[in-house]
Amino acid sequence: MPWRLPGLRTAMNGAEYLIHHEDVRRANGLEPRTGRPDLDALAWKTSGLTGWRAARKIRPHGLELRVPDGRTRGFGSPERAVLTGEPVELLLYLSGRRDVARVELSGDSVAVEAMLGADNGL
């Protein structure tokens, strides 16, 4: 069981709490939190797994995640949808919170359409 691995369990539980906390904030009209490098690091770390899962759903196309500081993560084919935003916003989008996530979706038009049609909920 992967949940038995302490580092993985901590990261996944932290991401779940982060997502649900943002659910409550956004539902109450609050802006995204800023100045939390710890939450950005957690979101970027867990976006590896959530990005990989999203890329599997849009095969044969690929997915690239980009954050404003220039870091990227690529999954799958070079014909990719590109999702750009702050790490927490990427995590929200990839966990099915598309309506509230502040991201930009660009890239290969067919891959973008596949991404828009995919169910990204966890």
Side-chain angles (χ1 to χ4, degrees), residues 6-74:
L8 180 61
R9 180 179 53 236
T10 300
M12 297 310 291
N13 281 336
E16 184 173 349
Y17 289 129
L18 170 59
I19 291 165
H20 293 308
H21 185 89
E22 288 301 316
D23 286 342
V24 173
R25 289 179 55 82
R26 310 285 170 105
N28 285 290
L30 296 174
E31 292 293 314
R33 289 183 281 184
T34 59
R36 292 293 309 262
D38 56 331
L39 298 180
D40 287 339
L42 173 64
W44 183 245
K45 181 178 183 179
T46 57
S47 72
L49 178 59
T50 55
W52 175 78
R53 289 183 66 210
R56 287 180 48 121
K57 294 178 182 181
I58 64 169
R59 284 182 183 166
H61 312 291
L63 174 65
E64 182 174 315
L65 304 179
R66 289 183 186 168
V67 290
D69 69 9
R71 290 177 290 168
T72 63
R73 258 198 182 119

Side-chain angles (χ1 to χ4, degrees), residues 37-118:
D38 56 331
L39 298 180
D40 287 339
L42 173 64
W44 183 245
K45 181 178 183 179
T46 57
S47 72
L49 178 59
T50 55
W52 175 78
R53 289 183 66 210
R56 287 180 48 121
K57 294 178 182 181
I58 64 169
R59 284 182 183 166
H61 312 291
L63 174 65
E64 182 174 315
L65 304 179
R66 289 183 186 168
V67 290
D69 69 9
R71 290 177 290 168
T72 63
R73 258 198 182 119
F75 308 93
S77 164
E79 289 79 34
R80 294 179 172 166
V82 179
L83 192 61
T84 305
E86 295 294 338
V88 171
E89 302 301 316
L90 296 174
L91 183 61
L92 289 173
Y93 186 94
L94 294 170
S95 63
R97 279 71 173 175
R98 291 181 177 182
D99 293 340
V100 298
R102 296 181 178 183
V103 297
E104 178 185 321
L105 184 58
S106 61
D108 179 83
S109 61
V110 178
V112 167
E113 287 301 317
M115 190 69 182
L116 292 171

